[in-house]
Amino acid sequence: MFKFSLNVTNFLQLHVFYIFTLFSVFVNNQSLYADFGFIKEHPIIIGFILFSDALAPMDTVIKLLMNIMSRRFEFQADAFARNLGYKAELASSLIKLQVQNLSTMDADWMYASYHFSHPILSERLKALDWTASEKVTDEKTEASGVEKASGREL
């Protein structure tokens, strides 16, 4: 497990280095300021604005890569729990968390890969090869016929 955290640390360090390097290129680029009409003076706020405008599309690729890595690590953690014999307990816990947090039940794989850092419930249960043997609901909630958003209502 340690080797995976080392890879994430290296990736994050590379990302921070990339951001600082790109920022220094924007702030120190005289022709960039001149193109926007700032020939004699170079306001730092203009450098910040141009940097954020340029970083946004480039950062979408970084976000996608980080989400893919995070999702891969979640699948590896689930496989580790399954190999230890905790498949049913993990599946039950994931379902309870899903119900309590009102998370998305099903999403397009491409949308989920970009927007979610964790796999959705159906992907995780499929990776666990889990099949339902019983309902995982609270009997009090089922008897009252009212669905609660979470178990923390006042």
Side-chain angles (χ1 to χ4, degrees):
M1 218 40 173
F2 177 72
K3 68 178 183 176
F4 297 124
S5 63
L6 187 62
N7 289 338
V8 170
T9 303
N10 291 342
F11 186 76
L12 291 175
Q13 288 174 349
L14 182 66
H15 185 237
V16 170
F17 177 74
Y18 153 77
I19 289 174
F20 282 133
T21 303
L22 187 63
F23 179 71
S24 68
V25 167
F26 273 82
V27 170
N28 298 323
N29 191 340
Q30 306 300 328
S31 65
L32 187 65
Y33 285 104
D35 289 342
F36 285 93
F38 297 98
I39 297 168
K40 293 184 180 179
E41 56 187 29
H42 303 110
I44 193 75
I45 190 70
I46 300 301
F48 278 122
I49 291 170
L50 294 174
F51 170 70
S52 68
D53 286 346
L55 183 66
M58 291 183 232
D59 214 29
T60 58
V61 174
I62 300 297
K63 179 184 175 186
L64 175 65
L65 293 174
M66 291 179 87
N67 279 347
I68 288 171
M69 279 185 12
S70 175
R71 291 167 62 86
R72 191 176 116 226
F73 293 153
E74 284 295 320
F75 282 125
Q76 289 174 349
D78 291 351
F80 182 74
R82 183 187 66 223
N83 293 340
L84 288 177
Y86 294 112
K87 179 171 83 169
E89 291 87 352
L90 177 61
S92 175
S93 298
L94 289 173
I95 292 169
K96 287 177 183 176
L97 281 171
Q98 180 80 16
V99 169
Q100 187 176 22
N101 294 334
L102 294 176
S103 300
T104 305
M105 288 299 283
D106 198 17
D108 181 53
W109 69 270
M110 191 177 297
Y111 180 86
S113 295
Y114 181 74
H115 290 284
F116 301 147
S117 62
H118 287 63
I120 58 176
L121 180 64
S122 58
E123 291 175 338
R124 292 180 84 171
L125 294 177
K126 186 187 291 185
L128 286 173
D129 295 325
W130 183 79
T131 55
S133 60
E134 61 183 55
K135 274 187 161 179
V136 185
T137 59
D138 188 11
E139 288 148 10
K140 291 187 296 185
T141 306
E142 192 173 300
S144 67
V146 176
E147 283 295 321
K148 292 186 177 183
S150 70
R152 300 176 293 236
E153 278 80 20
L154 297 175

